Amino acid sequence: MIAIAAGWAGPAVAASEPLAAYLAARVAAADGRAKAAADDFAVALGGWPDDPAVAVRAYREAMISGNETLALRAARVLEAEKVAPMDVVLLDLAVAAREGDAKRFDAAVARLDEGPLRILSPSLRGWAAWDRRQPVEPALAGAGKEPVARKLADETRLLIAMSARQLDGKAARLLIEAMRPPADTRIAAASLIAGRGDEATARALLTDPLVLASRKTLGAKPSLGFGVSRLLLRVAGELVSEGPRPLVIALGRTALIADPHNDRARLVLAEALSKDEAWTAAIAALEDVDPRGAFAHRAAIVRIGLLAAADRQGEALMLAKGLATDKRATVDDWQVYADQLIAAGRPADAAAWYEKVTEADPALPWAAWLQYGGALDQAGRKDEADAALARAVALGPDEPLALNYLGYARIERGQDVPASLALLERASKLAPEDASITDSLGWGYYKAGQVRRALPLVEQAAMAEPANSEINDHLGDIYWALGRHYEARYAWRAAALTADEGAKVELAAKIAR
């Protein structure tokens, strides 16, 4: 018995290591710690090298965290078991493009032909033909009549012509203006033009708000990796808002593998990761953005938002302050810093920066004045707030947010009740589905003594947003005024579930009453 126990002790311990690593990886993945999850999945995959269930999780976490070695290991397991997701082939494609491995590249494109990503094949073959100094048109003609493949091929044809110096910057710009391609194709074209030293023409192409703050150090030299990276990024950019996130993450990651200098891919990848609330991985995706590159400023602004979303407000505020106080600061930088100050509970400080935004005459001045007025209101500077909010309404007379804020603020102070109600009624007419505005109108009627008229509106708002503390508080007050005390307490208890600490004290007093 002792011999048998001794004989089994070793394997039992060894078997526990991949199991423990697998469980730790699952916990890390659930917590959004992609790097730790990938490291633990690597251990688990080492213990269970033929298990596709482990391999697929390892592959996904590797793509999230950027662990290329683990991704390739897991990909081989999935392919051997014939359960590889459609995007696995992109990994081999990107590595082959980066390393100039023609045989591996062609094999990857051939595999693409067999799946839903075959729309990429003609453009990929076009870039390979250009790289090998072969005729490009036969490859691009393979797009046939498939509309998406043809659109991608048309854009690729333009970029290849620029890479082959068949078009100068001015001719390319005319073609691009006629084609009206998406932002990522414009950026790719501008990169090629800037890479030749024609910065002026390159900057003229960058009219999209996405890159208004990114007009420096944009130049790039054409290569197979450049072409493959921009093609994958082009599709990722198209899908990032609503597409399947594992595919978008794979496209963004492989675009970065094909060309590690593609900082725009880092931004798209960070956006895709943020949609899964993978905040740590999204922040990490921006770490290697060139601080002197074209996308450094944009990346800093995105990073601030990600840090705030990850409950790292102190870091977000420090970074925002650095941008806003820099001598090269823009209106966007002032806006972002003011937003972070509001989030930090510093409305008086925020008001000073929102005021700078209003003085800069931004594209939506009514919105700037609304934020300025809101900060003044939160800071207790009611008269100044009223003037700023009135300016917002004057500049945006059909903007329900401006109408609602001014009407609500005035009616809370009992100021010109009929005119304030008119503002709220107009806001509600313009945005009848907005629960907060519906609540404001109902609360306005309540403050004006029209309690029965108020009730159905606030009930409607509470049904639309049952977790809104302020709406439930209003509903409780209206029920109480109507003598429906049991329902009032129920509404106040619902409000207390999501209220901040200060409001909870007031709600407790109401319930006790």
Side-chain angles (χ1 to χ4, degrees), residues 337-338 340-356 371-381 384:
Y337 184 40
Q340 292 304 313
L341 287 167
I342 285 289
R346 295 167 55 184
D349 293 332
W353 290 94
Y354 282 134
E355 185 177 20
K356 285 174 68 71
Q371 289 185 302
Y372 178 39
L376 291 168
D377 184 50
Q378 291 179 50
R381 294 159 60 180
E384 294 171 87

Side-chain angles (χ1 to χ4, degrees), residues 237-321:
E238 191 80 26
L239 297 176
V240 70
S241 296
E242 299 178 357
R245 285 194 284 275
L247 175 59
V248 178
I249 291 168
L251 286 162
R253 181 65 69 188
T254 51
L256 199 51
I257 289 171
D259 181 2
H261 301 294
N262 189 350
D263 281 345
R264 166 66 182 146
R266 289 184 167 87
L267 284 163
V268 171
L269 180 59
E271 182 179 352
L273 291 166
S274 71
K275 291 184 180 299
D276 270 344
E277 299 187 4
W279 309 120
T280 302
I283 293 165
L286 300 176
E287 286 178 355
D288 292 327
V289 170
D290 182 355
R292 296 172 297 177
F295 295 96
H297 181 262
R298 181 72 181 180
I301 290 180
V302 172
R303 185 180 176 87
I304 290 165
L306 294 172
L307 288 167
D311 292 327
R312 294 162 60 177
Q313 283 86 358
E315 295 171 72
L317 192 61
M318 285 180 62
L319 182 54
K321 181 178 180 180

Side-chain angles (χ1 to χ4, degrees), residues 14-23 42-52 54-55 77:
S16 71
E17 290 175 359
L19 176 59
Y22 179 77
L23 294 175
V43 175
L45 192 60
W48 299 321
D50 300 322
D51 191 325
V54 176
V77 175

